[in-house]
């Protein structure tokens, strides 16, 4: 279980002063930090087809990037390279635990947990990210520089590496195990490894209006909505056939804005859109055939676990109507079981004590059997 060190970090103060505003160094944000996963395991994950990974290194001062899966690292030597694995929370239950302390920010803002293994001199180069990130130093040591937001020229150091020109540092520090560096969008930064290192980045994502609109268009097509044509039975004679006059502009605008006016439909889109996983889910990990009789028994002995990276959200309004969103789809359930569905969306682990009141509830057993069969939830081993 990872916990932020209350002496070093206060979540309310952080949100007020730093979140989306300025970078922050949190010395010993995690006390006595232990890596949740080893470098060897990370190297192994990057050999898998379904895991997104990349290697970044330099040859003769020229930046290079290569995308996984990899079958060997032998040729890379023992310095000046780094291996980055995305969505580690999808593949390692232990590593996914690192996200838990950051749940004071709602999950719909979360992107994924990324890890970088880097040998001395290794890093991905100076760059700007357009998302918020908490870079948590695991074993090893890295030198980080963070510059101020502003006009920074970016250039392609390699087709897959967008770098930024040299910048003046407002933070210039060495991170040791347990230290955390928070960087909001738009602040240039660079981490160079001093001693072979693991860094875990808890990243948050924000959607642009254009990606929301494009998602809305897809959603409307899939649900055969929004097909109504403009209609103008009240039309008057025009003297200017080349004009889109004020009344017509208002009518067209109304046709577009009407797509976002109905809150129920909009929630349906937002719930489906925001629960889509950006990276592949490890749905094969727990796909046993589940009999509902076994579920009751398992509930008394095992915690209910949400699959790493699965996104499950609700709106207060939909919860009371018996509707939530799981992995890009609207899911209905009897409204009576909404308290336990709410827990399943709020918490990654629902313990046996929390499950106990629902043991004899057939509606819940049916609901959870479906979710277990889909591989979205599973019972803990212990
Ligand atoms: C890294 O760990 O090397 C990259 C993390 C980042 O800069 O966002
Ligand atoms: Co970055």
């Amino acid at each position: 279980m990872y916990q932020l060190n209350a002496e070093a970090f206060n979540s309310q103060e952080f949100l007020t002063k730093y979140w989306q505003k300025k970078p922050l160094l949190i010395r010993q944000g995690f006390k006595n930090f232990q890596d949740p996963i080893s470098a060897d395991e990370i190297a192994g994950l990057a050999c898998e087809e379904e895991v997104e990974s990349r290697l970044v290194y330099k040859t003769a001062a020229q930046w290079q990037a290569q995308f996984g899966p990899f079958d060997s690292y032998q040729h890379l030597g023992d310095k000046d390279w780094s291996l980055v694995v995305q969505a580690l929370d999808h593949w390692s239950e232990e590593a996914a635990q690192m996200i838990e302390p950051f749940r004071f920010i709602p999950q719909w803002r979360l992107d994924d947990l990324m890890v970088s293994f880097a040998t001395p001199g290794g890093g991905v180069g100076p760059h700007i990210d357009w998302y918020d990130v908490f870079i948590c130093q695991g074993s090893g040591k890295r030198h980080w520089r963070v510059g101020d937001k502003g006009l920074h020229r970016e250039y392609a150091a390699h087709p897959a590496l967008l770098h930024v020109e040299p910048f003046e540092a407002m933070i210039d520090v060495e991170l040791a195990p347990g230290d955390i560096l928070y960087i909001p969008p738009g602040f240039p930064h660079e981490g160079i490894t001093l001693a072979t290192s693991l860094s875990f980045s808890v990243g948050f994502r924000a959607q642009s209006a254009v990606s929301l609109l494009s998602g809305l268009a897809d959603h409307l097509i899939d649900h055969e909505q929004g097909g109504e044509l403009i209609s103008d039975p009240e039309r008057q004679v025009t003297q200017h056939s080349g004009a889109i006059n004020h009344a017509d502009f208002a009518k067209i605008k109304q046709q577009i804005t009407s797509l976002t006016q109905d809150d129920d439909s909009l929630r349906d889109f937002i719930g489906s859109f925001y629960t889509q996983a950006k990276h592949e889910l490890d749905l094969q990990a727990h796909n046993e055939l589940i009999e509902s009789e076994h579920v009751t028994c398992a509930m008394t002995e095992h915690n209910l676990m949400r699959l790493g990276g699965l996104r499950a959200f609700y709106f207060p309004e939909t919860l009371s109507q018996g509707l939530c969103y799981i992995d890009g789809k609207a899911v209905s359930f009897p409204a009576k079981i909404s308290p336990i569905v709410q827990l399943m969306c709020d918490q990654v682990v629902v313990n046996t004590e929390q499950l106990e009141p629902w043991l004899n509830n057939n509606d819940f057993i049916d609901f959870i059997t479906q979710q277990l069969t889909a591989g979205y939830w599973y019972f803990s081993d212990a």
Side-chain angles (χ1 to χ4, degrees), residues 225-257:
Q225 290 168 351
E228 299 78 19
L229 306 179
I230 204 156
S231 98
D232 51 359
E234 71 292 353
R235 184 153 295 288
Q236 304 290 311
V237 169
T238 182
Q239 305 302 327
H240 300 283
S241 81
I244 299 173
N245 67 23
H246 290 149
D248 285 346
F249 170 76
K251 189 176 267 300
I252 298 167
K253 184 174 166 186
Q254 157 66 21
Q255 190 186 21
I256 296 169
T257 54

Side-chain angles (χ1 to χ4, degrees), residues 10-11 25 38 41 52 64 85 100 107 116 129 138 159 164 168 198 203 223 230 275 308 338 342 345 349 364:
N10 172 294
S11 50
L25 169 66
S38 69
E41 287 169 302
E52 196 180 319
Q64 306 288 348
V85 172
E100 293 308 294
Q107 215 201 151
S116 77
D129 293 318
V164 66
E168 207 177 303
L198 288 181
H223 293 78
I230 204 156
T275 53
S338 59
Q342 181 173 26
C345 294
V349 182
F364 179 63

Side-chain angles (χ1 to χ4, degrees), residues 16 20 68 70 90 102 106 117 137 157 200 257 296 301 348 368 380:
T16 310
Q20 294 249 302
F70 302 105
H90 292 220
F102 299 98
F117 164 79
Q137 181 63 48
F200 300 90
T257 54
T296 318
E301 290 170 15
V348 166
I368 195 63
S380 63

